[in-house]
Amino acid sequence: MTDRVDLVEINHYYDAQGRLVFDQVIFYEWSSKNARFDVVAWRLLKTPAQVPTRDWKRGGYVTSWRDGEVLREVRSIQRRETWTQHDPELIERDYLPRELRRGLSRQLAER
């Protein structure tokens, strides 16, 4: 299952004492209506293999992981990496609540 986004962010979230709390990947799409990147979805980084890497053959960046019974791949035009003491995904909920996000593709149920 493949999704496409405009920007993928690798975020390292640290507490006030400078200790790593978690690493996450946040997927964004450009909203011309809002003139900003809106969050599509996010996932915790559980293994180094999930880190988005440059796809030298096709261009852009790609990350893939096993999502339940599906091998999920997300391709992006751009990539950024941030180190913060706030959770960007949580702050983005003020702009676009989770229930209004596009989300990643869902697997069709078998009949």
Side-chain angles (χ1 to χ4, degrees), residues 66-96:
R66 174 98 16 224
D67 192 7
E69 295 183 17
V70 173
L71 180 60
R72 183 175 295 280
E73 177 181 277
V74 180
R75 303 188 72 73
S76 175
I77 300 165
Q78 302 173 69
R79 176 189 125 149
R80 72 179 173 204
E81 190 164 2
T82 58
W83 294 261
T84 62
Q85 288 189 307
H86 66 277
D87 182 349
E89 185 274 329
L90 191 61
I91 291 171
E92 287 296 317
R93 293 179 192 180
D94 291 338
Y95 298 99
L96 186 63

Side-chain angles (χ1 to χ4, degrees), residues 9-11 13 21-27 41-51 63-66 87 89:
E9 176 180 357
I10 304 159
N11 173 254
Y13 172 54
V21 177
F22 58 79
D23 298 310
Q24 64 184 331
V25 179
I26 307 171
F27 305 102
W42 67 276
R43 295 292 189 274
L44 286 177
L45 268 176
K46 297 180 181 176
T47 69
Q50 285 178 276
V51 173
T63 182
S64 58
W65 69 95
R66 174 98 16 224
D87 182 349
E89 185 274 329

Side-chain angles (χ1 to χ4, degrees), residues 25-41:
V25 179
I26 307 171
F27 305 102
Y28 298 88
E29 67 184 356
W30 177 253
S31 168
S32 55
K33 175 184 171 188
N34 299 324
R36 65 186 314 276
F37 286 101
D38 287 332
V39 171
V40 170

